[in-house]
Amino acid sequence: MDHFLYRDGHLMAEDVAISHIAAAVGTPFYVYSAATLTRHYRLFSEALSPLPHQVCFAIKSLSNLAVLKLLGDLGAGMDVVSGGEYLRAKAAGVPGERIVFSGVGKTRDEMKLALTGGIRQFNVESEPELRALSEVAQSLGATAPITLRVNPDVDAKTHEKIATGKKENKFGIPISRARAIYAQAASLPGLQVVGIDVHIGSQLTDLAPFEAAFTKIAELTEALRADGHTISRLDLGGGLGIPYTRSNEAPPLPFDYGALIKRTLGHLGCEIEIEPGRLISGNSGLLVSQVIYVKEGEDRTFLIVDAAMNDLVRPSMYGAHHDIIPVTEPAPATPTQDYDVVGPVCETGDTFAKARALPHLAEGDLVAFRSAGAYGAVMASEYNTRPLVPEVLVQADHFAVIRARPSFDEILARDNIPEWL
Ligand code: LLP
């Protein structure tokens, strides 16, 4: 459920008309619903209760400071994967004790930043990373709380570019070597083992791969405890998928996911951490765009809109589907026609949808790409010197621009022509 519904023929974000925001901000822009973000966060927290738990929002999916402040104020922790993301979480007021640091390539500078500023735990992904973290912690006279991310060799049955739990993927330590690497971690100074981490992929629409992974984690918890390690936290990563179409697609709900966690891991007495991104942010956001031209091709009609692959790269990068809806509600039984929906970027890959059935649209009409809150704005670029797309947050009947569109002067001023040219 989200809060983008038609009212009196107009698409609304909560109680604000999208057309009203478009008139104030210009297009294209992202718009997020505070009520939807809040609802999705709470669904996870409720699904895990009464187990002790911490929901750490994967801020790679949507990292605007206003969104992080909103979620942080509800009690969310944050999963970060870079020094920059760590600084975002802190700038949004999230305390270090609620921040977990993931990623295969943490640098020593990033480790230092997090150890100095406060961190709940590092999710360590390799032996060289263990040694580096041990050295950095010792040099600071600090102790780094760690889990080891275990690669359980489970097929997440999702798009190959976002599956992370198979042995051929770069992530985690092989589960077959986990006991030896935990022993190594325990012997290194400056590290304190607190638990186990696992994340098998993103946009999972079936609970079976989670079940396979969590079952292996339960066994590993017992084995590591028998070896003398303290395993008090289990970080289960993110990955629960969302419906990208409004047809009959019905991925499992956070409630079902929570029930699975309780069934497979609840008896271990651990604090459960999860790192959902997409399910919290994905259906909390739209990308709004305006039709520039309707162009008749040889055998098709192109809808040329003012958003492009640089603003929302998912269709071009993963062949992802995003529903596209008109901002003015079509009358019931309005006939549709097929459009290839494309942006202005000079690549054929700049195609959002092929032969998409939409009601008749004309120059100047507004359309919205649904499910664009996750991995939308954060993956945007200024390719073709198109200004970074702005972001807007709606709460009830008011909205704020939470990232402004840069001016061309600002964009050009970032470059430097050396004096010797
Ligand atoms: N934790 C870790 C360690 C992750 O690598 C990820 C996502 C998450 C949590 C959050 O997963 P989620 O709940 O959002 O599925 N750009 C791609 C998705 C990349 C996901 C990367 N890791 C897309 O647009 O589909």
Side-chain angles (χ1 to χ4, degrees):
M1 203 211 110
D2 62 44
H3 292 76
F4 302 109
L5 300 170
Y6 290 111
R7 196 185 300 158
D8 300 329
H10 301 286
L11 183 64
M12 310 292 289
E14 302 192 22
D15 297 327
V16 181
I18 295 289
S19 56
H20 176 63
I21 304 174
V25 178
T27 53
F29 63 90
Y30 279 96
V31 56
Y32 312 117
S33 151
T36 314
L37 288 161
T38 302
R39 180 182 137 78
H40 290 166
Y41 165 74
R42 290 203 169 124
L43 284 177
F44 274 116
S45 189
E46 285 160 15
L48 292 178
S49 296
L51 294 181
H53 65 271
Q54 178 66 60
V55 178
C56 293
F57 176 55
I59 79 174
K60 63 166 76 69
S61 72
L62 173 54
S63 60
N64 189 290
L65 290 183
V67 171
L68 303 189
K69 167 95 169 53
L70 172 89
L71 293 171
D73 286 355
L74 295 171
M78 306 280 148
D79 168 47
V80 306
V81 292
S82 68
E85 285 195 351
Y86 177 83
L87 290 172
R88 279 187 177 275
K90 289 299 289 268
V94 179
E97 323 68 275
R98 280 198 255 139
I99 304 175
V100 299
F101 205 138
S102 302
V104 289
K106 302 175 199 78
T107 65
R108 284 173 162 78
D109 283 345
E110 290 173 323
M111 293 169 176
K112 201 169 170 181
L113 180 72
L115 278 170
T116 316
I119 191 81
R120 180 180 181 85
Q121 89 216 11
F122 292 90
N123 294 329
V124 176
E125 300 220 18
S126 65
E127 291 156 281
E129 185 190 338
L130 269 184
R131 292 191 286 270
L133 184 58
S134 168
E135 280 167 28
V136 174
Q138 272 182 286
S139 74
L140 295 170
T143 300
I146 64 156
T147 70
L148 279 154
R149 175 168 174 182
V150 169
N151 183 324
D153 195 23
V154 163
D155 184 352
K157 299 201 166 55
T158 183
H159 191 286
E160 58 163 359
K161 286 190 183 163
I162 54 176
T164 56
K166 289 284 283 174
K167 61 174 184 247
E168 59 266 34
N169 303 136
K170 68 180 174 182
F171 300 98
I173 58 164
I175 194 159
S176 56
R177 296 186 49 227
R179 290 174 75 174
I181 299 174
Y182 267 88
Q184 195 187 334
S187 72
L188 286 169
L191 304 181
Q192 185 198 0
V193 172
V194 295
I196 309 175
D197 172 46
V198 68
H199 169 79
I200 58 174
S202 193
Q203 186 54 17
L204 273 73
T205 52
D206 181 358
L207 288 181
F210 284 120
E211 177 155 14
F214 298 166
T215 305
K216 290 189 180 194
I217 295 304
E219 286 162 15
L220 183 62
T221 303
E222 312 270 19
L224 292 175
R225 282 178 171 168
D227 290 347
H229 301 286
T230 301
I231 304 295
S232 58
R233 292 181 197 164
L234 298 177
D235 181 334
L236 305 176
L240 193 59
I242 61 169
Y244 274 98
T245 62
R246 294 223 246 173
S247 50
N248 50 8
E249 198 188 351
L253 300 171
F255 178 81
D256 309 317
Y257 171 78
L260 172 68
I261 291 172
K262 288 175 194 165
R263 181 158 56 76
T264 50
L265 300 163
H267 59 287
L268 294 166
C270 290
E271 183 175 9
I272 301 294
E273 298 166 343
I274 54 169
E275 304 167 351
R278 190 189 313 262
L279 201 138
I280 292 179
S281 53
N283 279 321
S284 302
L286 304 178
L287 171 64
V288 180
S289 181
Q290 187 168 36
V291 177
I292 308 178
Y293 298 119
V294 181
K295 170 172 166 174
E296 294 303 334
E298 178 87 19
D299 60 353
R300 65 195 63 214
T301 304
F302 294 101
L303 195 70
I304 305 176
V305 298
D306 67 359
M309 64 187 285
N310 68 296
D311 304 306
L312 176 65
V313 77
R314 301 193 70 259
S316 139
M317 192 158 178
Y318 312 109
H321 172 100
H322 285 264
D323 273 357
I324 303 170
I325 57 171
V327 165
T328 301
E329 186 176 21
T334 305
T336 60
Q337 79 177 83
D338 284 354
Y339 292 99
D340 278 16
V341 183
V342 300
V345 163
C346 302
E347 296 197 25
T348 299
D350 184 24
T351 298
F352 289 116
K354 285 192 171 159
R356 183 69 65 88
L358 293 169
H360 178 78
L361 287 160
E363 276 181 32
D365 284 349
L366 295 172
V367 294
F369 294 81
R370 293 178 56 85
S371 314
Y375 308 109
V378 286
M379 294 179 80
S381 74
E382 288 186 339
Y383 187 39
N384 281 205
T385 308
R386 294 169 44 83
L388 207 57
V389 61
E391 296 172 280
V392 171
L393 182 67
V394 170
Q395 186 166 51
D397 62 356
H398 50 276
F399 75 90
V401 176
I402 56 173
R403 181 185 289 162
R405 192 188 316 275
S407 69
F408 285 113
D409 284 346
E410 284 164 338
I411 293 174
L412 300 191
R414 280 192 236 126
D415 292 9
N416 179 41
I417 301 177
E419 70 206 8
W420 39 264
L421 273 187

